[in-house]
Amino acid sequence: MYFGELPTSQATGCYLAHSLKAAGLHLKKGHRLSEGEVATLEAAGVASLTVARLDAGDIHEDEAAQRFAASAAGAGTIVAPPFTGRVNLYAEHAGILQLDEDAILSANMIDPAITMATLEPFAPVEKGRMLATAKIIPLAAEERHLGAAAAAIQGAIRVAPYTAKRVAVVSTTLPHLKGQVIGKTLAALQDRLRPSGSVISAHLEVPHTYPDLKEALGTLDPAGFDLLIIFGASAVVDVNDIIPSALRSAGGNIEHFGMPVDPGNLLVLGSFAGKPAIGAPGCARSPQENGFDWVLNRLLADLPITAGQIKAMGVGGLLKEIYSRPQPREEEVDEAHRKRQSAAIILAAGQSRRTGDHNKLLARVHGVPIIRQVALSAIESKVDRVHVVVGKEGDAIQKALQGLSVQVVHNERAEAGLSTSVAAGINSLPDSIEIAVMLLGDMPEIAATHVNELLAGYEPNAGKLIGVATCEGKRGNPVLWDRRFFSPLTRLHGDIGGKPVMEENAEAIYTIELGRTARLDLDDPTALDHFGAKMGSFSLKSDA
């Protein structure tokens, strides 16, 4: 394939390397130039074009991607039509993604022009989920390389379908275990079973003792279940502990104890009445992904799971921490009496685009700038310090805050979006700060009492680590963050706040209902006027 610049007169039949707008034509990258288009461009004075010209033995990117993807597609996959040298593979049905990793690696090694990217092996997928994408990076691939890559990757991507299972559950109990814990555990399990159409066919609650569990297992009808799961009131700490011992004594077998996946270490894998059996680790009570999911999903898809396969799960087995899970080996301290240092971060680096020449944060209510009102509320609350993140209008904002005990943080990258201000605020905090309350600079109805309510709801021992103000149940602002989320917040990109971090850690969220205050929007002149805020020479932007 020739790639480079050619006189326009020689470009007929070539493919554009870059999108082009000229002479009334809007031509996209990869477009094959016709004789008429070349003539039009020449007449408009376009002297040369950067193009690709295919040689004998070259295959256009769309055809090459289609052939490569079709070769990779195995059972349970759908191959989509090509576009710009890309073809996606989708799941034909719900199940578990199976990959021939060696075959995919071999195919990717043949020519850097020919690539296949996939989800991780054994990923649970729903019908229609994208599994992989074949991409031809330049505008064409050589036939000889394409043939070798297609042969290497033959049938390497498959989806093992789920089969509906009847699941028998035994929950052991101890006096300290609250009844609602078992209810929440069953609800989380039902959510895990739903994609496969599986159901809980039987549930027994028995005291957490060897005789009681052994007796309960003996009452189960083998014809009534396909899979057994035991949720212990106390974690299994040895292969001879209550759950594995009772399972063996009741006629079952233990295949393996423990797994190199965290959370999920204390899992028991065995069989009972010829059916798979799992002694679930404590983290299986949480809806968040853990090692229990990795084993359960394979069983629901009738994929074999052996001790050796569990041992091989260590690479990639360090999963996201479940923050609501207690840390049993942490030094025990009286958390109720330990003072945690907190800070308020006020985001005030926005560009106020909807208010034209005026910065809405400088608009005045009863003669006081909106940003100053927000800062005063933060100062009057129980936080230990207040940081205000400013951008282009930093000097004017700082003037409006004159005399207040705040630290002004300049965000030189404010125009890149809200996430940069979140990161600037977090990075400005000293190491002693364990809690950050994030406020928006244009919410003057937020009072010190509202910030204090968020602080009062914070209970790290109970897993209440992200406090969200709500209006009739809808999330708003401000938001409280435990320190363990500071790092994920600094890795956000674009014009977004902390929503992605919330979505990944839903189990750590608690809410404080504040009514309309939590969602008050003063983004435009009309809203400011209705609120009673006045704009004038004092609110003009520096470049107005």
Side-chain angles (χ1 to χ4, degrees):
M1 179 179 73
Y2 168 82
F3 181 91
E5 192 170 345
L6 284 179
T8 302
S9 60
Q10 300 178 23
T12 299
C14 295
Y15 296 89
L16 277 175
H18 308 288
S19 297
L20 176 66
K21 292 183 180 180
L25 298 175
H26 292 219
L27 306 176
K28 294 183 178 181
K29 169 192 171 184
H31 175 77
R32 192 166 189 260
L33 290 163
S34 68
E35 186 175 346
E37 289 164 341
V38 167
T40 299
L41 292 171
E42 278 193 288
V46 179
S48 63
L49 296 167
T50 303
V51 297
R53 184 178 60 204
L54 273 56
D55 297 327
D58 287 336
I59 308 297
H60 182 264
E61 58 177 354
D62 284 350
E63 180 185 346
Q66 187 76 35
R67 285 172 53 182
F68 188 44
S71 294
T77 65
I78 296 172
V79 181
F83 64 100
T84 62
R86 182 186 303 277
V87 171
N88 295 331
L89 275 68
Y90 295 90
E92 186 175 20
H93 47 67
I96 298 298
L97 177 61
Q98 292 182 280
L99 301 174
D100 185 335
E101 296 178 61
D102 290 339
I104 295 168
L105 175 61
S106 295
N108 279 333
M109 295 290 285
I110 289 171
D111 183 356
I114 304 169
T115 66
M116 178 69 74
T118 75
L119 298 178
E120 66 276 10
F122 299 105
V125 296
E126 297 179 356
K127 180 179 179 179
R129 173 80 185 274
M130 190 169 84
L131 311 172
T133 183
K135 182 70 174 78
I136 306 303
I137 294 175
L139 294 168
E142 292 187 41
E143 169 68 48
R144 59 192 180 97
H145 290 153
L146 179 62
I153 206 169
Q154 192 72 38
I157 301 171
R158 308 178 298 281
V159 176
Y162 289 129
T163 58
K165 307 287 186 189
R166 298 163 300 161
V167 181
V169 179
V170 179
S171 299
T172 68
T173 63
L174 286 171
H176 72 267
L177 187 69
K178 296 179 181 179
Q180 59 261 40
V181 172
I182 292 178
K184 290 181 178 179
T185 300
L186 293 176
L189 178 60
Q190 287 173 331
D191 286 342
R192 288 182 161 100
L193 298 177
R194 191 170 291 112
S196 66
S198 299
V199 296
I200 297 174
S201 59
H203 178 237
L204 302 176
E205 289 187 31
V206 300
H208 188 74
T209 69
Y210 166 78
D212 287 308
L213 180 55
K214 177 183 176 183
E215 181 180 355
L217 291 173
T219 66
L220 290 174
D221 178 7
F225 68 93
D226 306 300
L227 170 64
L228 169 65
I229 300 176
I230 304 172
F231 290 99
S234 182
V236 178
V237 296
D238 188 86
V239 72
N240 293 311
D241 209 339
I242 289 174
I243 290 176
S245 294
L247 190 59
R248 279 194 298 262
S249 296
N253 295 306
I254 302 301
E255 303 292 339
H256 188 71
F257 168 58
M259 68 186 309
V261 177
D262 190 16
N265 297 140
L266 305 179
L267 180 139
V268 177
L269 175 66
S271 61
F272 181 72
K275 318 290 177 64
I278 304 173
C283 59
R285 298 188 186 279
S286 166
Q288 299 299 303
E289 182 185 15
N290 57 77
F292 173 70
D293 292 284
W294 290 19
V295 173
L296 176 65
N297 287 332
R298 294 198 198 187
L299 294 176
L300 294 176
D302 293 321
L303 295 177
I305 182 76
T306 65
Q309 288 172 324
I310 288 180
K311 291 176 183 178
M313 292 177 179
V315 176
L318 180 59
L319 304 180
K320 179 183 70 64
E321 178 61 271
I322 296 176
Y323 294 120
S324 58
R325 181 181 65 176
Q327 303 299 306
R329 291 180 177 81
E330 282 186 348
E331 180 182 357
E332 294 186 5
V333 296
D334 187 351
E335 295 288 353
H337 295 88
R338 184 163 79 83
K339 176 68 170 71
R340 293 175 180 267
Q341 295 289 304
S342 60
I345 299 174
I346 302 174
L347 303 177
Q351 300 181 57
S352 297
R353 290 190 177 93
R354 296 186 192 177
T355 50
D357 291 337
H358 293 268
N359 186 333
K360 62 183 176 181
L361 301 185
L362 300 176
R364 295 178 179 178
V365 179
H366 304 305
V368 180
I370 287 175
I371 184 60
R372 189 176 182 90
Q373 291 190 22
V374 177
L376 284 168
S377 294
I379 292 168
E380 291 167 5
S381 74
K382 293 181 180 180
V383 298
D384 297 291
R385 60 195 300 141
V386 178
H387 290 203
V388 182
V389 182
V390 301
K392 185 178 180 181
E393 300 295 316
D395 291 343
I397 296 291
Q398 194 162 358
K399 183 178 179 181
L401 299 173
Q402 190 171 2
L404 299 185
S405 180
V406 300
Q407 178 175 325
V408 175
V409 179
H410 290 271
N411 177 16
E412 303 298 334
R413 300 179 58 241
E415 293 186 2
L418 180 63
S419 62
T420 65
S421 291
V422 171
I426 292 293
N427 289 331
S428 72
L429 300 178
D431 292 342
S432 59
I433 297 297
E434 297 183 64
I435 305 166
V437 181
M438 203 81 67
L439 301 97
L440 301 184
D442 63 347
M443 298 185 71
E445 282 195 345
I446 296 296
T449 54
H450 298 141
V451 177
N452 292 342
E453 285 185 67
L454 284 169
L455 292 168
Y458 173 73
E459 296 183 51
N461 284 347
K464 296 180 179 180
L465 303 167
I466 304 175
V468 183
T470 58
C471 172
E472 297 180 353
K474 295 182 179 179
R475 292 178 186 174
N477 286 282
V479 178
L480 177 148
W481 298 94
D482 179 90
R483 183 175 188 85
R484 67 197 75 192
F485 301 107
F486 288 4
S487 181
L489 287 170
T490 63
R491 295 195 295 268
L492 297 171
H493 296 282
D495 196 27
I496 57 173
K499 184 178 179 180
V501 182
M502 289 187 207
E503 291 176 344
E504 292 178 1
N505 300 280
E507 81 285 354
I509 292 175
Y510 65 94
T511 60
I512 302 295
E513 178 63 32
L514 299 186
R516 80 151 194 167
T517 299
R519 291 176 67 87
L520 180 66
D521 190 347
L522 297 182
D523 272 353
D524 57 58
T526 301
L528 287 165
D529 185 60
H530 286 167
F531 188 72
K534 305 298 181 184
M535 292 188 289
S537 59
F538 48 81
S539 61
L540 284 171
K541 297 177 182 176
S542 58
D543 55 0

